[in-house]
Amino acid sequence: EQRDGDQPEFLQAVREVFETLEPVIAKHPEYEKAGVLERIVEPERVVKFRVAWTDDEGKVQVNRGYRVQFNSAIGPYKGGLRFHPTVNEGVIKFLGFEQILKNSLTTLPMGGGKGGSDFNPKGKSDAEVMRFCQAFMTELCRHIGQFTDVPAGDINVGGREIGYLFGQYKRIRDEYSGVLTGKGLEFGGSLARTEATGYGVCYYTQEALRVLKNDSFEGKTVVISGSGNVAIYAAQKAEQLGAKVVTVSDSNGYVYDPEGIKVDVVKQIKEVERGRIKEYAERVPSAEYHEGCSGVWTVPCDIALPCATQNEINEESAKALVANGCKVVVEGANMPSTPEAIAVYQQNGLLYGPAKAANAGGVAVSGLEMSQNSYRLSWTFEEVDAKLKNIMETIVAESLKAAKEYGHEGDLMLGANAAGFVKVANAMVAQGIL
Ligand code: NDP
């Protein structure tokens, strides 16, 4: 805590995990002897670099780039790149730390990493985004590779950015390999990668509801925050599973559509026009727009799926959700609930699905993209989607198994942390003190 006192998000993520690991450590003295906890919170490597690029006016702009190579005990570093003005070393470390346990839960051989920049793509032209991505990759390419570290997308890093990054890697290294995931379908991308995180959140929710409550999405009212990659496909799948999604949001405000969000309209605004969610209410007569993104948690619902960003649900928002009848919170975004919000869910007996388990579908399909690249073939949408569904159901089962083993039956948070951790810890012990 002393060493990383200026990194509040990282400390929050570590504290949450360590509190739930007490019964695991008590049962495994070998972890303590091998210093696993002390070692797992220290990244194997942090790369921090200058990204200089030229804007459309010819002015030089300078941003900061990061890649945190956190843990390679069970596979090459794997995790997304985030481009957002709030990015700093502590934010990337929190995301990288979560990624270690998340990747372990997917059952695939991937270590934990994360990266990004404080670059703000909002309002930038395509040419500016391209020049930024090329400058970013010019440095990053020395540190990554298909067998060492395989980045992907995250906030503000989608198909366009991955394309520019891949092109620059190929140009400098003269190598055509699966060094990034989330690639275009024409150059090594996997079908269902775009949908994977959002669909995975819903497969996880559906399975947890079935096992723990003998229930499903059918007939439920769902509140979703965000309107990016995760939110759009969570909304689409929840609707396919029989629910009515009544909200989506961005950092300015939220739309409420009592007739059910029309996902095609959201996709047109966000994916094609790169516009603001306010425009939804201008096009769909049944919808209302409200300024302020946290108001979305005051909308009555059965199920809430936060899919925007960290700490978007605080204690007050959690209490509003409970007061309005919400019984289920499953996290699409990383660490969207503050510790106080999680306490509210637990005190009120909500079904709570933590991010590192519920949103693991994205990185799982990234792992499947790596497999397809290695085989030099591509699977059909149905094949990838079936594997994704199976992985999400396995994550629910493994989490519940671990929760039971460590004396907290039904606790999906403790179960996810324990199941993810044990595999990494065993590998760290087996590989010696590094
Ligand atoms: P996108 O960039 O596609 O969308 C992000 C959405 O969240 C936008 O609607 C954005 O609104 C909103 N948002 C971002 N920052 C804030 C903020 N500070 N306050 C309020 N709203 C905000 O990103 P993704 O959908 O890919 O990512 C969303 C979350 O899911 C993140 O936590 C990410 O780490 C997590 N995640 C993503 C995965 C993936 O495969 N993409 C995999 C696993 C987790 P605005 O346009 O106004 O910024």
Side-chain angles (χ1 to χ4, degrees), residues 213 322 326-328 342-352:
K213 307 266 183 208
V322 171
C326 178
K327 298 273 187 300
V328 177
I342 296 171
V344 172
Y345 311 150
Q346 289 171 333
Q347 284 151 16
N348 290 279
L350 269 67
L351 188 163
Y352 167 56

Side-chain angles (χ1 to χ4, degrees), residues 83-150:
F83 294 166
H84 198 273
T86 56
V87 162
N88 57 44
E89 192 172 328
V91 166
I92 299 298
K93 277 177 65 184
F94 120 64
L95 291 162
F97 180 72
E98 289 276 297
Q99 200 82 44
I100 303 169
L101 304 184
K102 179 187 312 194
N103 292 3
S104 167
L105 282 169
T106 65
T107 69
L108 303 173
M110 298 181 288
K114 200 84 190 187
S117 173
D118 59 1
F119 172 69
N120 185 1
K122 251 183 221 152
K124 304 286 193 299
S125 69
D126 269 359
E128 288 175 321
V129 170
M130 181 185 76
R131 287 195 294 274
F132 172 81
C133 287
Q134 291 178 338
F136 183 85
M137 183 53 87
T138 300
E139 174 59 30
L140 187 69
C141 74
R142 311 160 188 272
H143 310 288
I144 62 174
Q146 61 169 330
F147 300 118
T148 51
D149 184 355
V150 183

Side-chain angles (χ1 to χ4, degrees), residues 82 84 95 102 122 154-156 193 197 226-230 249-251 270 276 293 307-309 332-334 359 362:
R82 175 178 293 192
H84 198 273
L95 291 162
K102 179 187 312 194
K122 251 183 221 152
D154 189 77
I155 290 180
N156 289 330
R193 174 61 188 90
T197 309
S227 49
N229 175 256
V230 181
S249 68
D250 61 21
S251 53
K270 300 300 291 191
R276 306 302 298 161
C293 52
C307 295
T309 193
N334 282 310
N359 72 22

Side-chain angles (χ1 to χ4, degrees), residues 6 22 54 62 77 85-86 92 112 117 125 133 142 150 202 215 245-246 248 265 278 306 313 324 351 365 380:
D6 57 344
E22 277 169 23
T54 311
V62 179
Y77 310 107
T86 56
I92 299 298
S117 173
S125 69
C133 287
R142 311 160 188 272
V150 183
C202 291
D215 206 345
V245 176
V246 292
V248 279
V265 177
K278 188 180 184 170
I313 307 185
N324 288 321
L351 188 163
V365 173
T380 63

